Amino acid sequence: PPELHGMQTGVLADMTNYIVKNRAPVFSLLISRRGHLVYELYTHNLTRNHNHYLLSVTKSFTATLVGLAIDKGLIKSVDQSITEILPAEFFASPAEQKRFSNITVKQVLAMSALDALVPPHALTPEAEKRNSDFHAATNRAKFALTQKLLKNPGEDFQYQDITPSIAIGLVTAASGKTSWEFAKENLFDPMGFVNTEWTHRDADGLDLGAYGLRLRPIDMQKFGILYLDKGVFDGKKLLSKEWSALVNKPVIKSDPNIAKPNYGYYFWHPYFYSDEKALLASGWRGQFIAVVPEKDLVVTMTGCFGDGSENEFFLKLLNSYVFPSVSAGAQRKGGSQALRAALSQALSSTPVDLKAIEERMVPLLPVGKPAR
């Protein structure tokens, strides 16, 4: 129960009613405090075992695989040149390999290497063609290594979906395994992930680093708790404190006009309560994992927003309900009963027309062998 972990059940009931009343296109919303699950909402009669398409939340998992490779000594450090890790055949020529000789792992994980915009971040004919060629490539990491570099790698920022394919290439080259195999062995299986898929693998066996993961929301929670507890989950040390410390410190500004760095290692740093250690894995249309150390909270959401309002909506939930619910004060009378009733109403609600959205966005139960 939330009240056992210092959270106001009545406020969480209000939040649930707000979601239902506004027919918010939410599939799931989960909250844990100090590693304990205290709130679990689903709509559309979804169950805990349905997996959800995470879009760019995948990037944060991709970076974590790089961190695991560093922890295991397969990659020296984030300051190592990618040309020391990737085999020569990944580059179109020796000249191309030399062109990337000053690009580091850190620059790749800070979105500060390639100048290679694709939709939806650019809708020009050039970007459309680049995106088409990228997805058709036999090896997307090799394709990424044919793209232009930013004018000032390490300083300039460009968020797009091609750069993470370099990170996937790094994991594969360093470990001698596919990113899926490496993730299963070192992250997914040790944390008890179920009904997990990584879609969009290319012809050479590289998973798509930018998006494509399908996870259960409960497993998204576990991932957030792993970072909240500095690399430890359920008593098992999976990530080093050194890697966790790196991820907790933003390294680059996504906009030169903002005051502080707010991005790094494929996580956003939204400065909840001005705490730079707060992390946000963010995906288009409403996929989020928020880690807020100051409040000992992990909040995850999945959904299918079609109007671009997902960031505003998620922040409203946090600022108007989740954070205010953290209180040691007296509980509202009848709060637990109200929360149960609200969650039951949410479960039977159908705010999204599942037949009208992209097939990939529909949550899925496991059927036979998971699709690759």
Side-chain angles (χ1 to χ4, degrees), residues 3 8 46 58 82 86 98 119 122 170 182 264 279 294 303 352:
E3 57 266 27
Q8 293 281 350
L46 296 172
T58 302
I82 65 171
L86 297 171
K98 184 177 180 181
L170 294 171
F182 191 70
L279 300 174
E294 186 171 327
V352 177

Side-chain angles (χ1 to χ4, degrees), residues 298-321:
V298 174
V299 184
T300 62
M301 188 176 92
T302 63
C304 191
F305 287 70
D307 60 0
S309 65
E310 59 266 29
N311 291 322
E312 179 183 358
F313 179 83
F314 187 63
L315 287 174
K316 178 176 177 60
L317 293 186
L318 293 178
N319 291 319
S320 298
Y321 297 103

Side-chain angles (χ1 to χ4, degrees), residues 14 22 50 82 93 148 189 216 225 249 257 289 292 325:
D14 292 343
N22 287 277
H50 280 80
I82 65 171
S93 68
K148 292 189 296 185
D189 287 350
R216 301 184 307 162
I225 291 169
K249 189 172 180 60
N257 297 315
I289 304 174
V292 190
S325 76

Side-chain angles (χ1 to χ4, degrees), residues 61 64-65 68 72 171 175 177-198 201 207 213-215 219 236 238 369-372:
F61 283 86
T64 300
L65 298 185
L68 283 164
K72 293 179 177 299
V171 171
S175 68
K177 301 176 181 180
T178 69
S179 49
W180 171 256
E181 292 167 340
F182 191 70
K184 284 271 291 177
E185 179 182 335
N186 296 288
L187 194 65
F188 298 163
D189 287 350
M191 297 181 74
F193 283 19
V194 174
N195 193 19
T196 303
E197 301 175 42
W198 201 331
R201 178 180 267 191
D207 294 299
L213 266 181
R214 300 189 66 95
L215 295 182
D219 294 329
K236 295 175 284 192
L238 301 180
K369 187 177 181 180
R372 292 294 298 115

Side-chain angles (χ1 to χ4, degrees), residues 10 17 34 69 72 75 103 113 174 247 255 263 268 323-324 343 361:
N17 288 325
R34 305 184 186 117
K72 293 179 177 299
I75 294 174
I103 300 300
V247 172
D255 183 330
Y263 190 83
W268 295 92
F323 294 155
L343 288 172
M361 297 305 301

Side-chain angles (χ1 to χ4, degrees), residues 30 51-52 75 117 159 175 184 271 288 334 336 351 359 364 368:
L30 278 64
N51 69 22
H52 300 239
I75 294 174
L117 285 172
Y159 186 90
S175 68
K184 284 271 291 177
Y271 289 96
F288 297 104
S336 295
E359 184 178 355
L364 299 174

Side-chain angles (χ1 to χ4, degrees), residues 6-153:
M7 299 189 72
Q8 293 281 350
T9 305
V11 178
L12 297 178
D14 292 343
M15 178 180 70
T16 309
N17 288 325
Y18 171 79
I19 292 170
V20 174
K21 179 181 177 181
N22 287 277
R23 292 188 58 79
V26 171
F27 291 141
S28 71
L29 181 68
L30 278 64
I31 304 170
S32 63
R33 184 131 202 261
R34 305 184 186 117
H36 298 274
L37 187 69
V38 298
Y39 178 93
E40 190 172 14
L41 172 147
Y42 299 103
T43 60
H44 298 85
N45 288 305
L46 296 172
T47 71
R48 181 181 282 185
N49 282 329
H50 280 80
N51 69 22
H52 300 239
Y53 191 71
L54 301 192
L55 289 156
S56 286
V57 168
T58 302
K59 293 180 174 74
S60 301
F61 283 86
T62 295
T64 300
L65 298 185
V66 175
L68 283 164
I70 292 173
D71 285 347
K72 293 179 177 299
L74 304 174
I75 294 174
K76 292 178 183 178
S77 75
V78 294
D79 297 316
Q80 187 176 9
S81 167
I82 65 171
T83 60
E84 296 177 6
I85 305 165
L86 297 171
E89 58 265 27
F90 268 53
F91 300 89
S93 68
E96 284 292 276
Q97 186 178 27
K98 184 177 180 181
R99 184 167 70 93
F100 279 87
S101 61
N102 291 325
I103 300 300
T104 65
V105 174
K106 182 178 181 179
Q107 290 166 354
V108 168
L109 298 182
M111 289 291 186
S112 189
L114 296 185
D115 181 3
L117 285 172
V118 293
H121 308 290
L123 301 177
T124 64
E126 178 187 9
E128 295 278 2
K129 185 178 186 308
R130 181 182 293 116
N131 193 48
S132 177
D133 292 345
F134 171 64
H135 284 283
T138 301
N139 183 307
R140 298 194 190 106
K142 291 181 180 180
F143 177 88
L145 295 166
T146 67
Q147 300 302 298
K148 292 189 296 185
L149 293 173
L150 291 168
K151 184 178 180 181
N152 300 297

